[in-house]
Amino acid sequence: MTTRRLRDGRAGALLVALAATVLTVTGCSGGQAGAVTPTVTVEGAQRVELRYAGGVVEGGVARIAIPAGSTVELVVASDVADEVHLHGYDRSSFVTAGATTTLRFVADLPGVFEVELEQRGHPLAQLEVS
Ligand SMILES: [Cu+2]
């Protein structure tokens, strides 16, 4: 009886490990579908760098996958003065022409959220928190 319980316990642990692997693989393949992947800072934050110049976003307006619960550093460089606005979380920060601004927040709300240059109404990216 004791041996049987031990085996069952191991099988359960193996299933949990397999399920975790499947979830991880699914997450990775989703992130590669034309999306920009954030870099991870030494502090473990998800760092996203966007550059707006000449009226366009460098590399196009991408959907960026963010693991829910992580700290995000959203760095926006702009050649015009405007306000960077993250919808949903309703965070914003002014940027002066030729400078960068950083929005730092904890991604504790799942969903897809637009980042835009508020005064121009120009989309910069979409953050997909899941
Ligand atoms: Cu806005």
Side-chain angles (χ1 to χ4, degrees):
M1 194 64 184
T2 307
T3 310
R4 187 186 148 82
R5 274 196 183 153
L6 192 65
R7 277 197 192 136
D8 286 350
R10 279 183 184 167
L14 186 63
L15 276 176
V16 169
L18 279 173
T21 306
V22 169
L23 281 174
T24 305
V25 169
T26 305
C28 287
S29 62
Q32 285 165 355
V36 170
T37 309
T39 57
V40 180
T41 68
V42 285
E43 296 89 9
Q46 302 284 316
R47 185 177 172 91
V48 177
E49 294 182 18
L50 303 173
R51 184 173 297 275
Y52 179 85
V56 295
V57 182
E58 200 171 89
V61 178
R63 183 176 284 209
I64 300 158
I66 303 289
S70 58
T71 298
V72 179
E73 281 180 17
L74 178 62
V75 183
V76 178
S78 173
D79 65 347
V80 292
D82 207 313
E83 182 185 0
V84 175
H85 182 213
L86 168 61
H87 288 212
Y89 288 79
D90 202 23
R91 299 283 189 121
S92 58
S93 179
F94 288 97
V95 62
T96 55
T100 64
T101 189
T102 302
L103 282 177
R104 198 179 162 92
F105 62 97
V106 176
D108 52 6
L109 183 65
V112 179
F113 305 100
E114 190 164 12
V115 183
E116 71 169 2
L117 279 182
E118 187 69 11
Q119 290 162 19
R120 282 167 177 75
H122 194 293
L124 295 173
Q126 288 180 330
L127 300 189
E128 183 173 3
V129 180
S130 61

